[in-house]
Amino acid sequence: LRENTIIWWCWYAMASAAGVFVHVTMVFVIVSHFLIYCVRLMSNRNWRLSASWRGMLYGFVLGGLLILQFHALVLPQILGQIGQTTSVQAWNNPFWTVIEMGRGIQVGVKGGLVVLSAAFMLFGFGAWKMTKTSGLMLALLLLPAMLGTAVVLGMGHPLWPRFFFFLTGFVALVVVHGVMILAASFAQA
């Protein structure tokens, strides 16, 4: 967004196509980026058609074409699976994901609930600070998660933890940001 050069948008298209090739839920990230890009274009008072088409054409259209090319052979199977639900009723409960993640943490760490609570608290501190300093970064983190959750649940599909693996890097950054804020607060006190 800052540079807005053709080469960076082509790299974005290739990276997004590779991401979707690795895991299809990366589509939620790309759609979120597209929505954020459109909002930024519409809110820009100095918007010029000549400069804004680069991201649309070289980033999103080229990325979409590459994604279609990579998935051309399996696209009928993917589209055939949309809307099908699983027979295991526990998996259809959205809270099942949260509960299972908590159980997984408790297996490896004593006091997993305490660790999970601390992580949520630190994430909250980091997100609060990011809202004040970089709302765009927070939107890039939260919008794919919200979009993915809404689409997956809307299709009647189970909400599996693997649908959110693409967010782990961003979540770790926000938690580290929260740790830094908490440490700075203790240092000032």
Side-chain angles (χ1 to χ4, degrees):
L1 287 173
R2 248 188 328 252
E3 300 290 327
N4 198 24
T5 60
I6 293 173
I7 190 71
W8 279 113
W9 283 114
C10 287
W11 280 113
Y12 175 82
M14 289 187 285
S16 61
V20 174
F21 186 71
V22 171
H23 205 281
V24 179
T25 57
M26 177 71 178
V27 167
F28 299 131
V29 175
I30 298 165
V31 171
S32 298
H33 288 179
F34 177 74
L35 293 173
I36 291 169
Y37 179 76
C38 289
V39 167
R40 293 213 31 170
L41 282 181
M42 288 183 218
S43 65
N44 187 358
R45 293 195 175 123
N46 298 327
W47 184 73
R48 295 186 339 255
L49 184 61
S50 61
S52 63
W53 65 269
R54 290 181 193 141
M56 196 68 66
L57 181 64
Y58 291 104
F60 297 108
V61 172
L62 178 62
L65 291 173
L66 288 172
I67 290 166
L68 285 175
Q69 184 65 36
F70 285 165
H71 289 86
L73 295 176
V74 295
L75 202 54
Q77 291 172 327
I78 292 172
L79 294 175
Q81 293 294 318
I82 292 177
Q84 292 186 1
T85 59
T86 182
S87 61
V88 180
Q89 291 301 317
W91 290 356
N92 289 327
N93 182 354
F95 296 109
W96 175 84
T97 302
V98 176
I99 293 165
E100 288 303 313
M101 287 172 61
R103 284 185 189 159
I105 289 174
Q106 286 181 349
V107 167
V109 178
K110 294 277 187 204
L113 188 60
V114 173
V115 171
L116 195 59
S117 299
F120 277 122
M121 182 185 71
L122 292 172
F123 180 83
F125 281 138
W128 172 73
K129 184 64 174 176
M130 278 191 164
T131 301
K132 300 199 179 291
T133 58
S134 177
L136 176 63
M137 183 65 82
L138 195 59
L140 289 170
L141 166 67
L142 295 179
L143 191 58
M146 292 186 303
L147 183 66
T149 301
V151 169
V152 169
L153 291 178
M155 289 180 1
H157 199 280
L159 198 61
W160 290 323
R162 69 173 180 231
F163 288 160
F164 302 102
F165 285 166
F166 65 87
L167 293 172
T168 54
F170 276 130
V171 170
L173 286 174
V174 175
V175 168
V176 167
H177 202 64
V179 169
M180 291 172 50
I181 292 167
L182 200 58
S185 298
F186 285 137
Q188 289 178 353

